[in-house]
Amino acid sequence: MKIIVDAFGGDNAPVAVLQGASAAVREYGVDILLCGNRQKILDTAREHGIAMDNMDIAHAPEVFDIHEDPTKILKAGADTSLAEGFRRLVMDDGDAFVSAGSTGAMLVGATFIVKRIKGVKRPALGAVLPGETGPVMLIDTGANVECRPEMLAQFAAMGGIYMNKVLKIGSPRVGLLNVGAEDTKGDQLRLDAYKLLSESGLNFVGNVEARDALAGVCDVLAADGFSGNVLLKSTEGAVGMIMKNIKSALTKSMLTKAGALLIKSGLKEMKAKMDYTEYGGAPLLGVCKPVIKAHGSSNAKAIKNAIRQAADFTNTGVIKQIGDIIKNNY
Amino acid sequence: MKIIVDAFGGDNAPVAVLQGASAAVREYGVDILLCGNRQKILDTAREHGIAMDNMDIAHAPEVFDIHEDPTKILKAGADTSLAEGFRRLVMDDGDAFVSAGSTGAMLVGATFIVKRIKGVKRPALGAVLPGETGPVMLIDTGANVECRPEMLAQFAAMGGIYMNKVLKIGSPRVGLLNVGAEDTKGDQLRLDAYKLLSESGLNFVGNVEARDALAGVCDVLAADGFSGNVLLKSTEGAVGMIMKNIKSALTKSMLTKAGALLIKSGLKEMKAKMDYTEYGGAPLLGVCKPVIKAHGSSNAKAIKNAIRQAADFTNTGVIKQIGDIIKNNY
């Protein structure tokens, strides 16, 4: 198993990427193909004492700027580490591709270089989130800001296959993100998608409100990319704000600082439970090869987990099953 | 100043509503007109020792079920406390109306009984949320699940007037909820709304991502009712989940319980900072009279604050200014 990794994607690249990739080699026995500036990779590894065993380099001189127009990945940005990753994936120089770089450029690269699975209307970005009772996949989280009902039904089907194959959830419960639980709620898109999902053969549990997204009522939550993105980022924002407030509450006085020491183990456990890096990154579902978008702020552990996830994604036949299901049902 | 209050709206009615209304009489010197079953109101007040000074009753035998079709407020539900509230408001038996009942029925009642301000395309529900650096109004939060660009521009204008007049924020900063900060982001609705807002004369600060909604970058955040609802409820859901996890972390062992005692004051301060009840309920902007939708799970304090907010809403000339601005600009 060889995973292609964009060495220069994300806020903490290349150091965190190299550290994470090196840890993945040791822990999971995978081989790695790092894409990026060869000299910079070697210098970074030396400087930080990162073992390069089982890691090859595919040289690409440039880095794709996350503020750049995503479509530039195809021409002007062809000499970036991100573009090189997609090319290597298509050439079968590796089994899967992981990057923490530009989401938009990854979508363009996956759609136009790797290409869609036959019958898939749009690839979608499915984020695996730590829910109250286990992982929940929210799909789409931003790849498609304008959707048709049949796209939402496909997102649900693809997400269900991923959760079943990779996270071993039998008959994943599928929900539809909506403004109310009753089947009469929402706009025309939701009303039509509700009907399609009801008739889809999926284990459809109906509409799910945003406040219950992570409450354990569903394993897959289908959404258009706009509201899925809002859900993902507002949850992130709320968690960040509370954690900041907790920290300031705990360091308020000598007394609270003493208290903080006593509750340390409990807080650690809580943080671990809500750790978004635990399940890796966001799989891009609907394209012909496994592509994982790691979070832009990924640390070494998040990169390592995204690589493990890419290996699981490859091993479990998700893509073949998406092809079969879409061909026969959608 | 007399505030009309639906005595039977919300999960904790009528007890919490009566307690909150009674507290508002004492603390703010307002008069109250309670709508609902007279005998039940009097029994509840007696049973719970709630002072009824300066509180009148407008008898309405029934309660509007929150699961009921909202449009029923107009005919089949005309003998409910909620419908009675709207009728009394139109008859000038009070200056403003507060209910914690069905959001949908309140929208229908406000639109068809109270009626829109001339020129307003759609009334919108603006929630005032506790942000990092002060209150933030998110508008719309669910009244309009399908929107046109000019509606988003009106929501922003109405929200700005409210935040300026009621919460005394000079030149409120207006943001547009979007999936990215760059002006090229989002669907056609967002691109068109961005253009309208840029040319509106409002203090428009551009696109705001959901993770920054409460971070203090804007005072008003304009959204379609679908994604606004997702943002509101996912924030609520995330806060609830974390609070539950904190509680379980703090009660994990003797040690953590001891720690919890020491940090009590810090946590209390944090909870106060994030208390949604502090700013009252959600004003329904764009109709001819002040209407406040209190949260369905409102306790007595939330009802009291919603009544204070209704009084502020009435006193500050928000509705007249919305009429003037809309007439001249939109």
Side-chain angles (χ1 to χ4, degrees):
Chain A
M1 172 78 59
K2 185 184 273 185
I3 310 296
I4 306 168
V5 176
D6 174 6
F8 290 86
D11 307 339
N12 306 313
V15 183
V17 179
L18 265 58
Q19 288 170 332
S22 186
V25 168
R26 283 195 307 278
E27 291 186 34
Y28 314 130
V30 295
D31 294 329
I32 300 285
L33 178 61
L34 290 168
C35 298
N37 187 301
R38 183 183 305 274
Q39 199 53 53
K40 281 191 187 154
I41 290 174
L42 294 174
D43 290 350
T44 303
R46 193 176 330 107
E47 201 181 316
H48 292 82
I50 301 166
M52 291 289 282
D53 311 274
N54 298 69
M55 298 217 276
D56 281 340
I57 299 173
H59 180 69
E62 301 298 329
V63 175
F64 196 91
D65 187 330
I66 57 155
H67 300 294
E68 192 55 88
D69 171 11
T71 59
K72 291 217 169 142
I73 184 95
L74 299 176
K75 287 195 175 160
D79 56 354
T80 60
S81 57
L82 187 56
E84 181 66 15
F86 282 114
R87 277 195 303 270
R88 293 293 183 142
L89 184 63
V90 171
M91 286 157 61
D92 280 331
D93 281 352
D95 301 286
F97 178 42
V98 172
S99 175
S102 157
T103 305
M106 287 188 70
L107 287 167
V108 173
T111 307
F112 293 98
I113 303 174
V114 181
K115 302 237 170 18
R116 277 176 292 173
I117 296 170
K118 201 166 179 251
V120 167
K121 292 176 198 307
R122 297 281 183 86
L125 206 53
V128 184
L129 305 171
E132 275 289 301
T133 57
V136 177
M137 173 173 279
L138 174 65
I139 181 168
D140 178 36
T141 59
N144 309 283
V145 292
E146 303 197 72
C147 287
R148 296 189 306 277
E150 56 274 25
M151 287 163 59
L152 295 190
Q154 283 198 350
F155 298 167
M158 295 193 296
I161 293 168
Y162 186 93
M163 293 306 274
N164 175 250
K165 294 273 182 186
V166 177
L167 287 158
K168 311 296 175 202
I169 294 170
S171 189
R173 295 160 301 161
V174 170
L176 176 65
L177 180 64
N178 207 334
V179 294
E182 302 86 352
D183 61 2
T184 54
K185 289 282 181 172
D187 51 5
Q188 200 56 47
L189 172 61
R190 253 48 68 160
L191 295 172
D192 293 343
Y194 189 100
K195 193 158 175 292
L196 286 178
L197 286 165
S198 302
E199 298 161 353
S200 66
L202 295 170
N203 184 5
F204 181 52
V205 296
N207 289 326
V208 172
E209 291 188 82
R211 77 160 64 83
D212 298 323
L214 301 178
V217 298
C218 62
D219 306 302
V220 176
L221 186 55
D224 69 280
F226 194 93
S227 58
N229 189 273
V230 167
L231 173 50
L232 181 71
K233 288 181 181 164
S234 57
T235 302
E236 230 180 83
V239 171
M241 185 170 97
I242 297 176
M243 286 309 182
K244 206 168 118 187
N245 285 339
I246 289 179
K247 208 174 160 188
S248 101
L250 292 182
T251 51
K252 211 184 128 215
S253 67
M254 291 295 287
L255 213 64
T256 59
K257 279 181 195 166
L261 280 176
L262 297 178
I263 61 167
K264 213 172 166 185
S265 72
L267 284 184
K268 212 172 149 185
E269 204 171 86
M270 178 183 104
K271 267 186 104 166
K273 198 176 158 189
M274 300 191 307
D275 184 1
Y276 75 92
T277 66
E278 202 46 56
Y279 299 112
L284 185 61
L285 296 177
V287 292
C288 292
K289 300 258 180 180
V291 175
I292 299 281
K293 162 75 180 97
H295 199 287
S297 65
S298 289
N299 56 18
K301 184 182 156 207
I303 295 290
K304 184 191 77 179
N305 285 333
I307 292 171
R308 184 198 63 209
Q309 185 188 18
D312 292 345
F313 190 168
T314 307
N315 276 330
T316 50
V318 170
I319 289 176
K320 185 181 176 307
Q321 194 172 344
I322 289 178
D324 293 346
I325 294 277
I326 295 285
K327 192 168 66 189
N328 295 323
N329 297 279
Y330 294 89
Chain B
M1 173 76 61
K2 184 184 274 187
I3 311 295
I4 306 168
V5 176
D6 174 6
F8 290 86
D11 307 338
N12 306 313
V15 184
V17 178
L18 265 59
Q19 288 170 331
S22 185
V25 168
R26 284 194 306 278
E27 291 185 35
Y28 314 130
V30 295
D31 294 330
I32 300 286
L33 179 61
L34 290 168
C35 299
N37 187 301
R38 182 183 305 274
Q39 200 52 53
K40 280 190 188 157
I41 290 173
L42 293 174
D43 290 350
T44 303
R46 192 175 331 104
E47 200 179 315
H48 292 83
I50 300 166
M52 292 289 282
D53 311 274
N54 298 72
M55 298 216 275
D56 281 339
I57 298 173
H59 180 69
E62 302 298 328
V63 175
F64 195 91
D65 186 329
I66 57 154
H67 300 293
E68 193 56 88
D69 171 10
T71 60
K72 292 215 168 144
I73 184 94
L74 299 176
K75 289 196 174 159
D79 56 355
T80 60
S81 58
L82 187 56
E84 181 67 16
F86 282 115
R87 277 194 303 269
R88 294 292 183 142
L89 185 63
V90 171
M91 287 156 60
D92 280 330
D93 281 353
D95 301 286
F97 178 43
V98 172
S99 174
S102 157
T103 305
M106 287 188 70
L107 286 168
V108 173
T111 307
F112 293 99
I113 303 173
V114 182
K115 302 241 171 15
R116 276 175 293 172
I117 296 169
K118 198 163 183 256
V120 167
K121 292 178 197 305
R122 297 280 183 85
L125 205 54
V128 185
L129 305 172
E132 275 289 300
T133 57
V136 177
M137 171 171 281
L138 174 64
I139 181 168
D140 177 39
T141 59
N144 309 283
V145 291
E146 302 196 75
C147 286
R148 296 188 306 277
E150 56 274 24
M151 288 163 59
L152 295 190
Q154 282 197 351
F155 298 167
M158 296 192 295
I161 292 167
Y162 185 93
M163 292 304 275
N164 175 250
K165 294 272 183 190
V166 177
L167 288 158
K168 311 295 176 205
I169 293 170
S171 187
R173 295 161 302 160
V174 170
L176 175 64
L177 179 63
N178 206 334
V179 295
E182 302 85 351
D183 61 2
T184 55
K185 289 284 181 173
D187 51 5
Q188 200 57 47
L189 172 61
R190 255 47 69 159
L191 295 173
D192 293 345
Y194 189 99
K195 193 160 175 292
L196 286 177
L197 286 165
S198 300
E199 297 160 354
S200 67
L202 295 170
N203 184 6
F204 181 52
V205 296
N207 289 325
V208 172
E209 292 188 80
R211 75 159 67 82
D212 298 323
L214 301 178
V217 298
C218 62
D219 306 302
V220 175
L221 186 55
D224 68 279
F226 194 93
S227 58
N229 189 273
V230 167
L231 174 50
L232 181 70
K233 288 181 181 164
S234 57
T235 301
E236 229 180 85
V239 172
M241 186 170 97
I242 296 176
M243 286 308 184
K244 207 169 118 185
N245 285 337
I246 290 179
K247 207 173 163 187
S248 102
L250 291 181
T251 52
K252 210 184 130 216
S253 67
M254 290 295 287
L255 212 64
T256 60
K257 280 181 194 165
L261 280 176
L262 297 179
I263 62 168
K264 213 171 164 184
S265 71
L267 284 184
K268 211 171 150 187
E269 204 171 88
M270 177 182 105
K271 266 185 104 168
K273 198 177 159 188
M274 300 190 307
D275 184 1
Y276 75 92
T277 65
E278 202 45 57
Y279 298 112
L284 185 61
L285 297 176
V287 293
C288 293
K289 299 258 179 181
V291 175
I292 299 279
K293 161 78 181 93
H295 199 288
S297 64
S298 289
N299 56 18
K301 184 183 159 207
I303 296 289
K304 184 192 77 179
N305 284 334
I307 292 171
R308 184 199 63 208
Q309 184 187 18
D312 291 344
F313 191 168
T314 307
N315 276 330
T316 48
V318 171
I319 288 175
K320 185 180 176 309
Q321 195 173 343
I322 289 178
D324 292 345
I325 294 278
I326 295 286
K327 193 168 63 189
N328 295 323
N329 297 278
Y330 295 89

